[in-house]
Amino acid sequence: MQPRISRQSAQRQACRRPAAAADDARLSDELAAVISGARRRAVRDGDRQIDTAHLLHSLLERDPDVYAVFGEGPQIARLLGYLVQRSIGYGLRWQGTVEDSGAVPVVLDGDGFSPLAASAMGHACRRAARRGDTQARGLDLLAAIVVDPQARAVEVLGRAGIDADAVRARIDDRRDEYGDRPGGYGDRRDEHDEYAVGGEAPR
């Protein structure tokens, strides 16, 4: 059965599986390395799919721009601690379940990204395109995975005492990181797109 969502594009389909995403020319080399790292972590943890918490963990390990959004201090230490502990602690209840926001029907097409993580990949690609960049980068993906309150990444952030809205604000504050490009990095017009039922942004 195909997902009942008209705005699911070929771009998202290309981002659906980790192998395809890592080779996709629309991802920067750094982001491709992040995806590969998230895939290895998922396999190591015995998880069937890459979820947004895997992506967040890999982003923090491999992308200094993402790490800089959180800064130094006790919060980032707690966040990394929670991410490391997922396979022996709170993350055990996620095993055998699918990360999904409920916004669109779940389509299980084998190992790969969770539905919510797949949406985040497409969202990151669109953010990059909006500012005129041909490749999505780490901050694009970070912005995408903290949009949906049902994301496992957002739950881990909350456990560490970090507010997802504050993270998005910090990303917007760093809009000049990639230079003055059409649309600007801080363009927020598509911030909640694709996460609401029927593709309509929440009011």
Side-chain angles (χ1 to χ4, degrees), residues 106-117:
V106 174
V107 178
L108 297 178
D109 57 351
D111 294 349
F113 287 103
S114 70
L116 206 157

Side-chain angles (χ1 to χ4, degrees), residues 3-188:
R4 298 190 303 273
I5 179 167
S6 60
R7 299 177 70 177
Q8 182 166 355
S9 63
Q11 183 179 56
R12 181 186 294 180
Q13 294 287 357
C15 288
R16 181 174 293 281
R17 292 182 181 274
D23 294 332
D24 198 319
R26 283 166 295 197
L27 305 182
S28 67
D29 291 342
E30 293 81 3
L31 188 51
V34 165
I35 302 305
S36 295
R39 179 171 67 249
R40 289 192 295 271
R41 184 168 293 282
V43 170
R44 186 164 60 247
D45 290 345
D47 296 319
R48 180 184 177 190
Q49 295 179 324
I50 295 174
D51 61 27
T52 58
H54 291 127
L55 292 173
L56 176 60
H57 198 166
S58 191
L59 280 166
L60 288 168
E61 288 182 329
R62 291 170 172 79
D63 193 318
D65 290 327
V66 169
Y67 193 96
V69 168
F70 296 91
E72 299 291 346
Q75 282 190 328
I76 186 64
R78 284 198 301 270
L79 176 58
L80 289 170
Y82 277 119
L83 288 167
V84 168
Q85 294 170 17
R86 74 168 281 168
S87 63
I88 59 173
Y90 64 91
L92 292 174
R93 62 186 173 82
W94 291 339
Q95 292 182 353
T97 65
V98 176
E99 180 191 38
D100 178 56
S101 67
V104 296
V106 174
V107 178
L108 297 178
D109 57 351
D111 294 349
F113 287 103
S114 70
L116 206 157
S119 293
M121 290 300 302
H123 189 69
C125 293
R126 288 189 297 277
R127 281 182 65 93
R130 288 226 177 189
R131 68 170 182 275
D133 199 336
T134 59
Q135 294 184 321
R137 304 178 186 277
L139 288 179
D140 294 311
L141 183 55
L142 177 62
I145 64 177
V146 299
V147 166
D148 195 314
Q150 300 302 314
R152 291 174 180 175
V154 173
E155 179 177 338
V156 178
L157 288 172
R159 286 176 175 271
I162 300 173
D163 181 70
D165 289 336
V167 173
R168 289 199 296 271
R170 292 173 199 163
I171 293 170
D172 287 338
D173 288 341
R174 297 173 66 84
R175 63 172 56 91
D176 295 331
E177 284 291 308
Y178 299 137
D180 296 326
R181 296 177 179 174
Y185 187 84
D187 189 345
R188 300 175 64 111

